[in-house]
Structure formats: structure tokens, C-alpha cells
């Protein structure tokens, strides 16, 4: 299995609070991704990174920010959480070669009350 | 605008029979397609992929078929086993783009 660790695995918080999710990889892969999974929508890309300090938006980036200061860590921040951000969040990594599949972490279940 | 669609939310198949999961896409620029399998409380796991230069790719019990003119791909699992019960996602990308677009998923249940 790809060495991907997401933390925390579960979190419950209140509307308006800041939340940071962490993704840590031991594979030294260049690309890292954050997705959210919601019923009826599959997985939707929030943000991704193509190198240290290099990030770009995905299809559902509003309300989220990311940072990547080291190759191995990719942080997802909800500056002021809303109930619509209740979801399961997955981190993924991939190598810098064409047609390489992304490998996923086990997810963080986030509930915003 | 859902560019990748899995129109069957669920599918139930008897053990030993063939399971066929379907996926449609709208973006003709997509040229690489993947299937992922997901168990509860785990992340998706890569299963099999196919490039648009092919129309079939096989890996053991799993075969993916691509019909470019119909913008349709399917995953065949033969024979189906209880451990195949999971949610299956298809995904599409443009080679080199490094971003995947996922379908909504199909929950496959294999009955003994």
C-alpha cells in the first residue's frame, strides 16, 4: 500500500471554527490531491499540488485553502467551517509520470454542527 | 455539469456470475480511464485502467472495455466473488493533466 496517512481520521466541530486536515506521504511523489466524497457526487477535486509551494484549484475549491511546505505534507484548511463542508475528505498522491494512477489515503470524516 | 456518469447507483449479482458496471462520459478530450474500488471506511483502491488507444484491457478477473464512439466504458468482473462487494468508481482524465474526474459510483453487492 502507498504510504499515505491522513489525520485526524474523524473530527466533529462547530460552524465558524477553523479546521486543518493533514496528509502525509512517505513515497516522495510529486503530486498530491484533496478530494471530498458526498452521496450522489462521487469524489470531487478540491485542490491539488504539483510541487512544494505549487498548488492549484479543483472544481470545488471555494471555502478551502491548501499549503505544501514540504514534499511529504499537504494541508487542507477550512478557514471558517460551514455545515455544507460536512463530508469525507480523501488525500491522494501520484508520481510525475503519465498514466500513473492516484493512490488514496483512508479518509477523514468531518462533521460540522 | 457531470462529465463522468455512472447511472446505476447499485447492482446486485449472484456469486459466480458476471458483474457489469457501466460508465459514460461527455468530454471527448478524455483519453485515459480508470476504475477504483472502495470498501467502507477505506480509501479508493486502483483496480484497472485503459488508454483511448485500446478498446479492451484485462487483468485477471477484471476487464475494462472502451467504446470511444459511444463515450462509454464498462468493467466486467468474472466470476464475481463476495469480496467484490464494494463501491466502484470510474474516473477519466486527459493524459498529462494529472487530474481525475470521477463518476458518482455504483454499489456492487455479490449475493451467495
Amino acid at each position: 500500500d502507498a504510504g499515505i496517512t491522513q489525520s485526524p481520521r474523524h473530527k466533529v466541530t462547530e460552524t465558524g471554527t477553523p479546521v486543518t486536515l493533514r496528509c502525509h506521504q512517505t513515497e516522495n511523489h510529486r503530486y498530491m490531491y484533496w478530494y471530498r466524497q458526498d452521496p450522489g457526487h462521487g469524489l470531487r477535486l478540491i485542490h491539488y499540488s504539483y510541487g512544494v509551494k505549487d498548488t492549484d484549484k479543483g472544481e470545488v475549491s471555494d471555502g478551502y485553502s491548501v499549503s505544501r511546505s514540504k514534499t511529504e505534507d499537504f494541508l487542507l484548511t477550512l478557514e471558517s467551517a460551514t455545515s455544507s463542508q460536512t463530508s469525507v475528505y480523501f488525500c491522494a498522491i501520484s508520481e510525475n509520470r503519465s498514466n500513473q494512477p492516484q493512490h488514496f489515503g483512508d479518509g477523514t470524516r468531518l462533521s460540522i454542527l | 455539469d457531470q462529465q463522468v456518469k455512472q447511472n446505476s447507483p447499485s447492482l446486485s449479482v449472484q456469486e459466480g456470475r458476471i458483474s457489469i458496471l457501466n460508465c459514460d462520459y461527455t468530454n471527448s478530450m478524455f483519453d485515459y480511464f480508470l476504475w477504483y474500488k472502495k470498501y467502507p471506511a477505506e480509501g479508493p483502491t486502483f483496480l484497472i485502467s485503459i488508454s483511448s488507444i485500446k478498446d479492451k484491457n484485462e487483468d485477471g478477473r477484471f476487464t475494462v472495455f472502451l467504446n470511444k464512439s459511444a463515450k462509454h466504458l464498462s468493467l466486467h468482473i468474472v466470476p464475481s466473488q463476495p469480496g467484490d462487494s464494494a463501491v466502484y468508481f470510474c474516473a477519466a482524465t486527459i493524459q498529462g493533466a494529472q487530474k481525475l474526474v470521477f463518476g458518482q459510483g455504483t454499489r456492487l453487492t455479490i449475493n451467495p
Side-chain angles (χ1 to χ4, degrees):
Chain A
D1 288 347
I4 308 169
T5 304
Q6 291 188 232
S7 58
R9 292 295 314 278
H10 302 271
K11 186 173 182 67
V12 180
T13 190
E14 294 184 347
T15 301
T17 60
V19 177
T20 295
L21 308 183
R22 180 181 184 238
C23 178
H24 178 79
Q25 61 144 328
T26 58
E27 306 296 320
N28 201 36
H29 284 353
R30 178 182 177 186
Y31 290 87
M32 298 186 76
Y33 310 81
W34 277 108
Y35 292 88
R36 59 178 289 174
Q37 184 196 359
D38 304 289
H41 291 280
L43 288 97
R44 292 180 291 174
L45 182 64
I46 305 171
H47 283 279
Y48 69 103
S49 169
Y50 47 95
V52 173
K53 298 193 190 310
D54 292 323
T55 65
D56 204 352
K57 295 179 180 180
E59 62 177 306
V60 289
S61 58
D62 287 349
Y64 301 95
S65 62
V66 290
S67 66
R68 191 169 179 199
S69 59
K70 298 185 289 185
T71 299
E72 58 266 35
D73 289 326
F74 192 32
L75 303 180
L76 176 71
T77 298
L78 293 65
E79 300 289 348
S80 178
T82 67
S83 58
S84 65
Q85 294 175 311
T86 292
S87 187
V88 181
Y89 291 85
F90 289 99
C91 173
I93 64 174
S94 68
E95 295 182 73
N96 183 26
R97 286 186 292 147
S98 185
N99 294 351
Q100 291 304 301
Q102 295 178 18
H103 298 282
F104 286 79
D106 284 336
T108 294
R109 183 173 295 275
L110 178 63
S111 297
I112 300 162
L113 307 177
Chain B
D1 179 29
Q2 190 85 28
Q3 296 186 74
V4 178
K5 294 182 182 179
Q6 294 175 255
N7 291 317
S8 299
S10 63
L11 177 67
S12 186
V13 174
Q14 193 171 2
E15 181 178 359
R17 306 295 290 266
I18 183 171
S19 296
I20 300 175
L21 296 100
N22 294 303
C23 180
D24 297 296
Y25 62 97
T26 57
N27 188 342
S28 58
M29 298 294 291
F30 288 145
D31 57 6
Y32 188 62
F33 305 88
L34 307 90
W35 283 94
Y36 282 82
K37 173 180 179 179
K38 185 184 179 305
Y39 292 121
E42 295 183 9
T45 302
F46 170 70
L47 201 53
I48 192 169
S49 62
I50 187 168
S51 167
S52 60
I53 62 173
K54 294 184 173 183
D55 54 18
K56 176 183 174 182
N57 189 26
E58 236 176 309
D59 184 0
R61 296 186 299 114
F62 302 92
T63 303
V64 56
F65 295 92
L66 176 62
N67 182 333
K68 289 185 289 293
S69 60
K71 296 190 180 68
H72 177 84
L73 64 155
S74 60
L75 174 68
H76 292 212
I77 306 173
V78 130
S80 300
Q81 299 174 355
D84 296 330
S85 294
V87 176
Y88 289 79
F89 291 99
C90 68
T93 188
I94 300 168
Q95 291 186 53
Q98 299 287 354
K99 291 193 291 184
L100 296 178
V101 179
F102 283 84
Q104 307 96 309
T106 296
R107 182 178 301 279
L108 175 65
T109 302
I110 306 301
N111 302 306

